[in-house]
Amino acid sequence: MAANSSGAVLSIAMVPFVLVFGVVFSLMLAGDDADSAAAAAEDGCTPVRTQPVEVDPATVPDEAIAGYSRDQLVNAAHILEAGRALNLGVRDQ
């Protein structure tokens, strides 16, 4: 009986810690990225290219590049072309 009551007391004592941890963690996940985006822009970490990327699938080389086969590279080129046709930016492609 004593083991059950000490476990209940410990559980009740942990509730505030769990709640505080949950709130802090939630705020970290949902935090505003405006400061980090501004810092990245100052550091030059933002993409310089703003125009859509244009790739002709016919010009993809036959050999694998960085472990990607020609078929995979051609598929990626088609995806980039579809994004360019929709006037999407580099980030969206």
Side-chain angles (χ1 to χ4, degrees), residues 4 34 60 64 72 76:
N4 286 342
V60 174
Q72 291 172 310

Side-chain angles (χ1 to χ4, degrees), residues 2-14:
N4 286 342
S5 64
S6 65
V9 170
L10 181 62
S11 296
I12 292 172
M14 290 299 295

